[in-house]
Amino acid sequence: MAVGAPRVTDPDDQDGPQDASSGTGAARTARTVRAAVPLLALLPLGLLAAAAWLGRHVRPAADEWCFLPQVRDHGVWGLVEQFYVTDNGRIANGVLVGLYAKFPVAGHQWYGLVSGTIMLAVLWAFTAQVLRRTRQDTPRGTALLVAAMITAVFLFATPNTYKTFYWPAASVSHTLAPVLACAAALPLLYARGRRGRIAALAAVFLAGVFMGTLSEEASIVALVVLGGVVVLARWIFAEHARRPARLWSLTGMAGVVTGTLLLVTSPGSRNRRERYDAETVSMLAPDSLITSLKLYVRIMETVLTTWQYAGAVAAGVLLGLLARPRPRGGPSALLPARPLRLLSFGALALLVSGHLCTVATYPAFGTRVLTTERTWNDYLLLYVLLLVAAGAFAGRALRLRERRRTAVTTAVAAASALVCAVTVAGLAVPLHQLGDDMRARAQRWDRQDQWLREQAAAGARTAPYTPNSVSRMLEPFGAGGKRPWPARCVADYYHLDKVTRGTRIP
């Protein structure tokens, strides 16, 4: 399905006359770049592999103390029923949580590797298909490099990587969810012919239903983006592509709305609203809207001053410099005639969806949305993709302007590669420190786990539990012993009647 404006005439389509020396220099530079791209991709891939390896130190905490005994005693569908009837109404969320909770500690340890691989694969396929539909040729490994940089920056530039990547309950709702929403576009990008277009419509509707019962915030972002396509299609796409783009977007919106209706009409969602309505004001109250806007501005200040996001821009610049229109490839199906329009649309969608997500989370977290960084991820993937697109258009503009001055584009490409490398190094340092904290907690957790199991096996009905936290994760008897939650769930996990506050780990 053609979704986009025809490609404008690119000066690179017709190479101008060059002397032999400049041609030789350009060929030598091209060979060097082709050899360097796969090597550069190894940096973010190595970072992702190291992060996955550190996942072996993850242990249950917070909400998962309650999920594990429920899945152990009643299975995955028992947890889904609890979510729908009692907790929050998130059916799809219950399915994904139940899948890793089915394998208690091992599920937590393997979650980072599995989810990271899924995210990288989706973003790699998405990048490769966008390049294919825009009739762009790139050196081998370019799409993988861009996807790996997107994944690394998205996961590790956050102020709290543990809650973004290693805490499965948060990742399912706020980190994996927006990537799965991005995956809904893959059937459209792969579509060929009438059957392919019908399959893409069916896929985006089902994905929308799934998203609506997985994450309210990711659903908000999807509705804003798809709604923007419907309203602004005449300014973004060519005339022949406007109708199919609107049809696909409307189908996706219908799916999200259907899933959201299933969620908000559930008993669990009603219970959750009643629980928070008793403690906070409505999110639509004027004071809530104003406070949410102020909080969102402060969140964006943090995001915009996080220098590691420059790695996404640098990856985009490399993409723009390296991509070449495919000879005799025909008109592009996606590349907009006016990149500024696409970037303006993306920026508007980011600002609107980010504020709406803050409005939606404010009743639950209050001013703590500033320190609940995991909830930012629902719209931060859009931010990272926007940075890559901006970099790609800037790199393409420079390539067209300086197409006969190899030294200029080579210098910019080298600088961009250096920024990517420095970004990976900048992300690796805090990740290494987090790994040390996770390793220390895992050792304490394993000792206490073994001791509590021994106490239960010996017939004890009550045992002390010492809080054991990492990266501000909630534990029983936190806040100096004033917050008992989730002590009841810990007792259920170890088949005890009660756990009391301990002062040291055995």
Side-chain angles (χ1 to χ4, degrees):
M1 175 160 56
V3 184
R7 177 170 51 84
V8 295
T9 303
D10 191 329
D12 266 5
D13 287 344
Q14 298 177 352
D15 294 330
Q18 296 182 354
D19 59 39
S21 61
S22 64
T24 302
R28 187 185 306 112
T29 301
R31 288 193 297 270
T32 303
V33 168
R34 285 186 172 86
V37 167
L39 296 177
L40 186 60
L42 291 177
L43 295 179
L45 290 175
L47 183 67
L48 293 170
W53 176 247
L54 292 176
R56 71 190 191 278
H57 300 308
V58 177
R59 299 294 187 272
D63 307 66
E64 286 146 356
W65 283 119
C66 299
F67 300 155
L68 295 179
Q70 178 70 12
V71 174
R72 177 195 64 203
D73 298 338
H74 304 286
V76 174
W77 294 111
L79 182 65
V80 173
E81 181 182 6
Q82 177 181 309
F83 273 30
Y84 182 76
V85 175
T86 305
D87 290 352
N88 48 42
R90 299 171 184 165
I91 301 172
N93 197 296
V95 172
L96 295 183
V97 169
L99 289 177
Y100 74 78
K102 187 71 175 177
F103 311 94
V105 175
H108 289 72
Q109 293 174 319
W110 283 90
Y111 179 83
L113 173 62
V114 174
S115 64
T117 301
I118 291 173
M119 287 186 274
L120 176 62
V122 168
L123 293 171
W124 186 8
F126 180 81
T127 304
Q129 286 305 305
V130 168
L131 291 173
R132 181 184 70 85
R133 294 301 296 267
T134 55
R135 309 282 194 259
Q136 299 294 301
D137 281 332
T138 57
R140 187 181 301 275
T142 303
L144 178 59
L145 166 63
V146 173
M149 284 300 301
I150 293 173
T151 307
V153 171
F154 177 54
L155 294 179
F156 308 130
T158 170
N160 195 324
T161 291
Y162 190 92
K163 291 186 177 181
T164 292
F165 182 58
Y166 291 111
W167 185 19
S171 174
V172 162
S173 301
H174 304 291
T175 306
L176 187 61
V179 178
L180 294 179
C182 187
L186 291 179
L188 175 67
L189 294 172
Y190 279 103
R192 290 174 178 263
R194 186 170 180 272
R195 289 184 178 180
R197 293 192 293 270
I198 293 174
L201 292 176
V204 74
F205 178 81
L206 294 176
V209 174
F210 186 86
M211 191 59 53
T213 61
L214 174 64
S215 169
E216 294 95 322
E217 291 79 16
S219 296
I220 289 173
V221 177
L223 286 174
V224 170
V225 172
L226 295 176
V229 170
V230 172
V231 175
L232 303 177
R234 62 175 298 182
W235 288 282
I236 302 175
F237 301 116
E239 184 176 359
H240 72 276
R242 293 170 190 167
R243 184 176 180 277
R246 284 174 171 150
L247 178 60
W248 185 83
S249 298
L250 286 171
T251 303
M253 294 177 68
V256 174
V257 170
T258 301
T260 302
L261 287 176
L262 288 174
L263 187 150
V264 300
T265 58
S266 68
S269 181
R270 287 199 299 270
N271 290 340
R272 189 170 187 265
R273 290 195 299 271
E274 291 172 0
R275 185 164 65 250
Y276 285 121
D277 286 347
E279 302 172 0
T280 61
V281 297
S282 169
M283 67 179 179
L284 298 179
D287 288 346
S288 294
L289 294 174
I290 295 174
T291 304
S292 298
L293 179 58
K294 293 179 180 178
L295 293 171
Y296 178 57
V297 170
R298 293 181 61 185
I299 290 171
M300 291 310 297
E301 287 177 357
T302 300
V303 172
L304 294 174
T305 55
T306 300
W307 69 267
Q308 288 90 342
Y309 286 111
V313 180
V317 171
L318 280 173
L319 177 61
L321 291 174
L322 297 176
R324 292 293 187 274
R326 189 171 300 161
R328 295 179 298 278
S332 168
L334 289 174
L335 192 62
R338 295 179 178 86
L340 184 59
R341 287 186 178 181
L342 182 62
L343 295 178
S344 299
F345 167 65
L348 180 63
L350 172 67
L351 293 174
V352 172
S353 62
H355 180 221
L356 291 179
C357 285
T358 308
V359 169
T361 54
Y362 178 73
F365 298 104
T367 57
R368 288 185 294 114
V369 296
L370 287 176
T371 55
T372 313
E373 299 93 350
R374 65 184 184 274
T375 62
W376 307 357
N377 296 326
D378 296 284
Y379 51 88
L380 284 187
L381 179 62
L382 177 60
Y383 174 63
V384 176
L385 293 175
L386 185 61
L387 292 179
V388 172
F393 290 134
R396 176 176 177 268
L398 177 65
R399 172 172 58 81
L400 297 181
R401 178 180 178 181
E402 306 288 348
R403 61 186 182 275
R404 292 185 180 85
R405 297 174 61 183
T406 306
V408 175
T409 55
T410 300
V412 173
S416 299
L418 179 61
V419 171
C420 289
V422 171
T423 297
V424 171
L427 296 174
V429 173
L431 181 64
H432 175 72
Q433 296 170 345
L434 175 60
D436 290 340
D437 294 340
M438 291 165 57
R439 185 183 301 107
R441 179 185 186 253
Q443 293 172 351
R444 297 191 301 267
W445 195 96
D446 290 342
R447 291 201 309 270
Q448 183 161 246
D449 175 71
Q450 181 180 357
W451 186 82
L452 288 170
R453 291 182 185 279
E454 291 172 352
Q455 295 300 302
R461 306 315 306 159
T462 302
Y465 178 89
T466 302
N468 181 25
S469 185
V470 62
S471 293
R472 307 199 313 269
M473 290 293 295
L474 295 178
E475 278 280 285
F477 312 112
K482 298 178 181 178
R483 182 180 298 167
W485 185 88
R488 175 68 262 174
C489 298
V490 173
D492 288 344
Y493 181 75
Y494 289 107
H495 300 286
L496 297 169
D497 292 337
K498 182 181 180 181
V499 293
T500 58
R501 184 188 180 193
T503 57
R504 66 181 181 85
I505 293 178

